[in-house]
Amino acid sequence: MLALRPVGQIVAELSTRRREPAAISVTAREALAASLPAGFLSLVDEIGGQEIAGDFMLLNLAQLLRETADRDHPLIALGTQWWVFGTSGTGDAWLLGPTEHGDQVAFLDHDQGTDALSIEMFLDFNQWLQLADLMAQVEHVEQCASGLANVEKITREMNRLSEGLSQRYPYSLDA
């Protein structure tokens, strides 16, 4: 059954998985701490560096710094306002940064090139974790069942997380 799970449950499960540890300098850590939400760094220390679902790779802090620095998108202030904290398997990126709604997640479509603008998802990081977990559930369920009823369940759960998320979601939900 597809359902939004509590963040604590998701984190507990993710923290049991094997992953590569990553260390960054004290200076880099301080710069990130000044730019990102409180608690984000320690959470990424605990669960970063692993795939949650196909389009949801949560980067560790070293990967976050490298991925943010390596992308050329001058219109969205990467490394000052927005930080790449996650990627998809196709080169797209999940961004975290301050907006008028507080610290929020945005999406960056790599197919749009260097002139791409971030697309605000109206999710905070914890909601992004819940979305990633939901999509992991979808991937598991799709091995067993598919069809319109499944898409309706996914859409309903996404919109429970954030009103209109199923319309903003950058990937197809088609069965």
Side-chain angles (χ1 to χ4, degrees):
M1 171 148 180
L2 298 174
L4 294 176
R5 297 191 312 155
V7 171
Q9 184 179 359
I10 297 165
V11 170
E13 182 180 302
L14 292 174
S15 52
T16 65
R17 294 183 185 175
R18 182 172 162 81
R19 60 193 184 81
E20 292 294 321
I24 62 172
S25 73
V26 172
T27 305
R29 188 174 200 74
E30 289 171 352
L32 288 175
S35 302
L36 292 167
F40 176 80
L41 299 184
S42 60
L43 187 58
V44 171
D45 281 337
E46 184 178 349
I47 64 171
Q50 62 181 302
E51 181 178 300
I52 301 171
D55 291 316
F56 295 84
M57 171 66 180
L58 177 60
L59 304 176
N60 63 39
L61 296 178
Q63 292 167 324
L64 178 152
L65 288 168
R66 193 170 40 254
E67 190 71 32
T68 299
D70 288 350
R71 290 186 180 251
D72 182 22
H73 295 281
L75 300 179
I76 58 172
L78 285 176
T80 56
Q81 182 174 352
W82 292 103
W83 298 86
V84 178
F85 75 90
T87 58
S88 70
T90 61
D92 298 328
W94 295 100
L95 310 174
L96 187 60
T99 70
E100 64 185 60
H101 309 288
D103 291 314
Q104 295 285 310
V105 170
F107 179 78
L108 180 65
D109 182 350
H110 84 287
D111 287 334
Q112 300 301 315
T114 59
D115 292 336
L117 296 173
S118 57
I119 302 165
E120 195 168 337
M121 298 303 295
F122 298 98
L123 298 171
D124 63 25
F125 180 71
N126 286 340
Q127 290 170 313
W128 181 87
L129 280 176
Q130 290 179 292
L131 176 62
D133 179 68
L134 181 65
M135 291 302 114
Q137 293 174 51
V138 168
E139 290 169 3
H140 177 72
V141 168
E142 283 183 351
Q143 296 172 4
C144 308
S146 62
L148 184 58
N150 201 31
V151 172
E152 289 173 359
K153 288 178 194 174
I154 298 163
T155 300
R156 184 174 51 250
E157 291 302 304
M158 289 175 82
N159 291 332
R160 276 188 52 219
L161 187 59
S162 175
E163 187 61 40
L165 179 59
S166 63
Q167 286 83 36
R168 291 187 305 276
Y169 187 66
Y171 302 110
S172 173
L173 296 175
D174 293 340

